[in-house]
Amino acid sequence: MIFESHAHYDDEVFDGDREALLSSLQERGIGTVINIGASLSGSEASVRLAEQYPFIYAAVGVHPSEIGELDEESFVRLHTLCDHEKVIAVGETGLDYHYPEPDKALQKKWFEKQLLLARETGLPVIIHSREAAKDTLDMMKALDAGKIGGVVHCFSYGKEMAREYLNMDFYFGIGGVITFPNAKKLKEAVEYIPMEKILLETDSPYLAPQSHRGERNSSLNLSYVVEAIAELKGISCEEVERVTEENARRLFQLTVQPD
Ligand code: NI
């Protein structure tokens, strides 16, 4: 079944029907979901969802746009959450230079601390990198991120950058953007990246695929992403689902199938 490696079901846009939607996912082909913390409260909420649903796991971290809320005390809380049995990664964390704030130095400080947290706890890391290719890569190299392992979520750079991350043995989160007509660079990168390094993700509620663009996204739309990857790779949709699930289970060390 489909392994959804990146969703934010704690987002308030799901408040009206979260329970109904999540309860229906497994019978609609979504076998496993990782709910990703983007803030401290989002990380706490991710853990609560993971406690509530056997097929949901949690990642805890603070998105570069949200790091203004972090201080030494709240960071300790993040560290504590990593010990929870259903927390399987640190993230999302990284650098986002799309907006001028928060300033770059501050983003780097908390990215470094979260990379070190992943290393210390032995968890893989979920990277968010937007318009910050060089700095992200430089920091990851400096901190020997290849030994930490993880995934570059919503990979949006080209083939050259893909090669750099492959050298660190990282995985690539591919989502709805692959269905956009103007995603030429990403399509080239996906053709280049070995199938064994690709994970499926939506980033729900964001980044709905082309046929639902602008709408609230959910894991149910992963079928469009599967189709696009299958076409690029010249393999069947079943093969895409099977291999990406194996990849996710390998990376996040989830060997046992959920109930
Ligand atoms: Ni996200």
Side-chain angles (χ1 to χ4, degrees):
M1 285 213 280
I2 287 178
F3 192 117
E4 153 76 282
S5 69
H6 195 117
H8 301 280
Y9 285 118
D10 54 292
D11 193 290
E12 61 183 17
V13 300
F14 293 108
D15 283 354
D17 63 345
R18 183 177 296 108
E19 179 84 46
L21 176 63
L22 293 180
S23 306
S24 76
L25 287 183
Q26 286 203 298
E27 65 200 38
R28 297 163 86 178
I30 310 299
T32 313
V33 172
I34 302 181
N35 203 82
I36 310 285
S39 62
L40 284 167
S41 61
S43 296
E44 302 269 4
S46 296
V47 172
R48 281 196 299 275
L49 284 173
E51 285 173 342
Q52 203 181 338
Y53 298 91
F55 69 97
I56 297 184
Y57 293 85
V60 297
V62 177
H63 185 286
S65 305
E66 304 290 331
I67 45 134
E69 66 174 3
L70 278 170
D71 54 26
E72 296 303 328
E73 197 181 322
S74 55
F75 197 75
V76 171
R77 177 62 189 150
L78 209 56
H79 197 148
T80 306
L81 285 175
C82 287
D83 293 333
H84 191 285
E85 58 173 2
K86 291 201 79 182
V87 171
I88 46 85
V90 171
E92 55 187 292
T93 178
L95 302 173
D96 192 325
Y97 294 169
H98 186 68
Y99 301 106
E101 297 288 329
D103 81 49
K104 293 180 180 178
L106 203 60
Q107 289 194 36
K108 287 179 181 173
K109 171 187 166 178
W110 291 107
F111 180 31
E112 175 169 331
K113 283 185 76 89
Q114 292 182 77
L115 280 174
L116 294 174
L117 176 63
R119 179 191 289 175
E120 195 184 324
T121 55
L123 295 172
V125 68
I126 293 167
I127 303 283
H128 171 104
S129 178
R130 186 186 186 195
E131 295 171 31
K134 186 176 184 311
D135 282 7
T136 308
L137 193 66
D138 287 350
M139 283 187 65
M140 288 172 68
K141 281 183 176 167
L143 291 163
D144 209 1
K147 290 218 176 80
I148 299 169
V151 55
V152 186
H153 130 72
C154 191
F155 183 74
S156 56
Y157 301 130
K159 217 167 121 175
E160 295 310 311
M161 207 42 77
R163 178 176 299 130
E164 296 276 6
Y165 286 112
L166 278 173
N167 286 339
M168 283 192 283
D169 210 22
F170 262 65
Y171 290 76
F172 299 79
I174 305 298
V177 177
I178 193 75
T179 67
F180 294 176
N182 63 354
K184 191 167 166 281
K185 193 179 66 170
L186 177 60
K187 285 175 183 159
E188 280 172 13
V190 169
E191 281 177 335
Y192 167 75
I193 297 166
M195 201 52 223
E196 284 62 39
K197 287 291 172 190
I198 292 176
L199 304 186
L200 299 176
E201 66 163 59
T202 57
D203 206 18
S204 294
Y206 309 107
L207 297 175
Q210 183 66 17
S211 53
H212 293 271
R213 211 158 164 176
E215 296 172 15
R216 186 185 78 170
N217 201 6
S218 88
S219 308
L220 298 172
N221 286 330
L222 277 172
S223 53
Y224 300 102
V225 178
V226 169
E227 277 171 28
I229 295 174
E231 196 180 315
L232 284 169
K233 292 292 196 187
I235 58 176
S236 68
C237 290
E238 292 71 30
E239 182 79 351
V240 172
E241 289 184 21
R242 185 183 64 77
V243 176
T244 51
E245 178 174 17
E246 278 175 16
N247 296 343
R249 292 190 177 281
R250 187 186 319 120
L251 172 61
F252 298 113
Q253 300 189 18
L254 296 170
T255 45
V256 186
Q257 291 278 349
D259 296 331

